[in-house]
Amino acid sequence: MNAHRLFLAGLALACVLLLPVSTAAKAGCETTADLDERYCDADRDYVADAPTDPSKWRDPQTLVWAYAPIEEPAVYASLFKDFTTHLEACLGRQIVYYPVQSSKAEIEAMRSGRLHFAGFSTGPTVEAVNRAGAVPFAAKGIGNAVRGYNLIAIVRADSPFKTLAELKGRRVAHASAFSNSGHLAPRALFPGEGLSPGEDYAPIMSGGHDKSILGVISGDYDMAAVASDVLERLIERRMVKREDLRVIFTSGIFPTSSFAYAHDLAPPLVAAMKRCFFDFAFTAEMKSEFHGDERFLPIRYDRDWASVREVIDKAGASTF
């Protein structure tokens, strides 16, 4: 991002901070239990409704967005450049990509009004919905199939560990507190395999799936809980050799990152944004980076994130 774009990003963020974020007391509207008290959910689809008062809709000419910091944020700034350009032409507005350094920062940015739409990784999607009023509407996919991934537990190929139960008292890496495969799913699923995070070992937060993977290879960790698609990307970039690692546990499939808009964006803007997302064909670089994914596909949070919410419930609300 050049100096001019950085200036525009700073200006957009400064301006949007002056905009009010709509609030609603739970006592004054129908809602669902997990949503923050500022949001209503009259249709019971688990996401915040748009304000009923049109004067509280936001319709800015400059839209700021971000993508989940699964890996180095600069990677995605370049990868999504053509998509950002497409949105500018399609919506007729200034679109600013804003790199974020953590899922927590991304969620807080949407909650405070600094982000208008964003791509959230699997676990943080739930927190973004509940705390920031995010409304997931799209995910990456091929044909009509939304991309999925697995939680995998990896060890070095030359390690003695064959099962999760053997990792008691060892150094085990989790990615971050909001991560589904990197923290929440292990808390929910590992106990059934004889290994309870927080009891049999103290999770070490590495700061990211890529850091967990590289840490296992370097010997910093005996095992790491990571997303299978991140490992595949590192292998494809030749940052990791497949033969250096072994997978000792694989979960069922989880949905991948969601794309969500702030609940108080003006409905006509939301409709236009959806059309622009679904009309975009991924570039060759995006297809390569996202394992052949070729387009954005529509999703419903209540249906498509049910398995993730179940994992979070099983892991316990204190996870957040």
Side-chain angles (χ1 to χ4, degrees):
M1 187 180 291
N2 59 34
H4 179 62
R5 297 289 283 187
L6 284 173
F7 169 77
L8 288 174
L11 179 60
L13 290 173
C15 290
V16 80
L17 277 171
L18 300 177
L19 295 173
V21 176
S22 62
T23 61
K26 276 196 173 182
C29 64
E30 295 184 59
T31 188
T32 39
D34 291 333
L35 287 179
D36 187 275
E37 64 181 10
R38 64 172 63 186
Y39 307 123
C40 298
D41 181 22
D43 57 3
R44 304 290 175 161
D45 62 356
Y46 298 102
V47 298
D49 298 337
T52 55
D53 181 356
S55 70
K56 294 182 178 179
W57 296 347
R58 291 191 292 157
D59 194 16
Q61 288 302 304
T62 296
L63 297 173
V64 182
W65 83 286
Y67 185 66
I70 301 170
E71 300 168 54
E72 176 59 40
V75 170
Y76 296 110
S78 174
L79 187 66
F80 283 111
K81 183 179 179 181
D82 287 344
F83 174 59
T84 299
T85 301
H86 162 77
L87 287 179
E88 287 188 325
C90 187
L91 292 172
R93 305 182 188 220
Q94 175 91 34
I95 308 294
V96 176
Y97 181 85
Y98 185 70
V100 291
Q101 299 300 316
S102 70
S103 295
K104 182 178 180 180
E106 185 180 27
I107 292 166
E108 288 302 324
M110 179 164 283
R111 177 178 171 85
S112 65
R114 301 196 306 273
L115 286 180
H116 300 102
F117 64 99
F120 294 99
S121 53
T122 306
T125 291
V126 178
E127 183 74 349
V129 166
N130 292 336
R131 179 171 170 77
V135 181
F137 69 96
K140 303 183 300 293
I142 302 174
N144 293 316
V146 170
R147 169 67 63 183
Y149 73 95
N150 309 92
L151 152 65
I152 56 175
I154 59 170
V155 298
R156 277 174 57 126
D158 59 1
S159 83
F161 306 111
K162 306 295 184 182
T163 67
L164 288 179
E166 297 171 16
L167 272 298
K168 293 179 180 179
R170 309 300 301 197
R171 293 176 58 81
V172 176
H174 286 200
S176 65
F178 292 118
S179 174
N180 180 63
S181 56
H183 183 59
L184 302 173
R187 286 177 60 98
L189 302 179
F190 282 4
E193 302 295 320
L195 186 69
S196 296
E199 297 178 15
D200 295 327
Y201 69 89
I204 303 169
M205 296 300 174
S206 69
H209 294 265
D210 52 343
K211 296 179 178 65
S212 292
I213 294 165
L214 296 174
V216 169
I217 291 175
S218 68
D220 294 335
Y221 312 122
D222 296 304
M223 184 266 279
V226 300
S228 60
D229 57 342
V230 177
L231 175 60
E232 290 301 321
R233 282 200 295 273
L234 294 186
I235 292 171
E236 289 170 4
R237 294 178 194 161
R238 299 184 179 179
M239 295 175 65
V240 171
K241 294 181 180 178
R242 192 181 301 275
E243 57 267 27
D244 289 341
L245 297 165
R246 278 190 292 110
V247 176
I248 63 172
F249 173 83
T250 302
S251 75
I253 295 176
F254 291 107
T256 189
S257 55
S258 70
F259 291 79
Y261 59 84
H263 80 291
D264 56 353
L265 292 186
L269 171 59
V270 169
M273 184 185 299
K274 289 180 178 180
R275 175 177 55 81
C276 294
F277 261 76
F278 300 140
D279 284 349
F280 181 71
F282 284 14
T283 64
E285 184 181 9
M286 290 175 68
K287 289 179 182 178
S288 175
E289 180 69 15
F290 296 129
H291 307 293
D293 287 348
E294 57 191 14
R295 56 184 295 222
F296 293 108
L297 294 168
I299 60 171
R300 282 182 57 98
Y301 175 76
D302 55 350
R303 177 193 64 209
D304 296 312
W305 250 253
S307 63
V308 182
R309 296 196 305 274
E310 182 179 353
V311 159
I312 291 174
D313 288 342
K314 191 172 181 179
S318 61
T319 302
F320 287 128

